[in-house]
Amino acid sequence: MVWLKFLHITAIAIWSAGLICLPGLYMRRALVPNQAALHELQALVRYLYVVILSPAAFIAIGSGTVLIFLRETFEAWFSVKLAFVGVMVLIHALTGMVIIRLFDKGYIYPPWRFVATTATTVLTVTLVLFVVLAKPIVPDLLPDVLREPGGLSRLLGDLIPYLR
């Protein structure tokens, strides 16, 4: 299990660092002197996203899922961590959409978007680290029915026809 934790932490570190540094590479789009340099920047950005960040995200989420069941982490702080990881997934998906448009003719990545994206990503990664390291006491706001086996089917049974 130690190797799985190491794999998980390494994947999260690579994924987080990549999400933080990519907007800086987007800003370089406006500074490329010629088409060859633009092509090199495009190749670098796509390589980082497709070959490094996306597999790291997949490994981080997959190994984290396995660790949930191995360590039986069913505490409220863990739900908060998963919510912030969900925000990281959203940032990752939006980053992929930016990369698709970034190298269109005449497109420039605005500085305000660089600041907003970098600040949001750094804040999200910091909050994930804080929640994991501090394990704060979080009030459990879920109703009792959602903490019981089969509770969701009892709660939504009338809405789902095949459960009747």
Side-chain angles (χ1 to χ4, degrees):
M1 185 157 80
V2 172
W3 66 269
L4 186 61
K5 283 196 249 183
F6 177 76
L7 179 69
H8 181 67
I9 291 168
T10 304
I12 286 179
I14 292 169
W15 183 30
S16 301
L19 288 178
I20 291 169
C21 81
L22 272 177
L25 288 173
Y26 302 161
M27 291 297 294
R28 294 185 54 101
R29 165 75 168 91
L31 304 173
V32 292
N34 55 39
Q35 194 65 28
L38 179 64
H39 181 69
E40 286 178 20
L41 179 63
Q42 180 181 18
L44 173 65
V45 168
R46 288 184 184 221
Y47 180 84
L48 285 173
Y49 186 79
V50 172
V51 176
I52 297 175
L53 263 64
S54 294
F58 182 79
I59 291 169
I61 292 168
S63 60
T65 303
V66 171
L67 285 170
I68 290 171
F69 294 107
L70 289 178
R71 301 188 75 203
E72 298 181 5
T73 310
F74 305 112
E75 298 178 28
W77 68 266
F78 195 76
S79 298
V80 173
K81 178 213 172 200
L82 289 179
F84 289 131
V85 170
V87 173
M88 285 180 66
V89 169
L90 180 64
I91 292 168
H92 186 91
L94 293 174
T95 297
M97 292 181 354
V98 167
I99 290 171
I100 291 171
R101 291 188 44 219
L102 182 64
F103 295 98
D104 289 346
K105 188 167 180 77
Y107 184 82
I108 302 297
Y109 194 70
W112 68 266
R113 189 174 289 166
F114 163 75
V115 172
T117 303
T118 304
T120 303
T121 306
V122 167
L123 177 65
T124 304
V125 169
T126 303
L127 289 171
V128 168
L129 287 172
F130 171 77
V131 170
V132 168
L133 295 174
K135 295 179 180 55
I137 297 172
V138 179
D140 196 358
L141 302 175
L142 291 176
D144 289 337
V145 70
L146 293 179
R147 282 190 236 109
E148 302 168 3
L152 190 59
S153 66
R154 283 195 301 279
L155 186 65
L156 300 177
D158 294 334
L159 299 174
I160 303 172
Y162 70 85
L163 292 177
R164 290 185 222 157

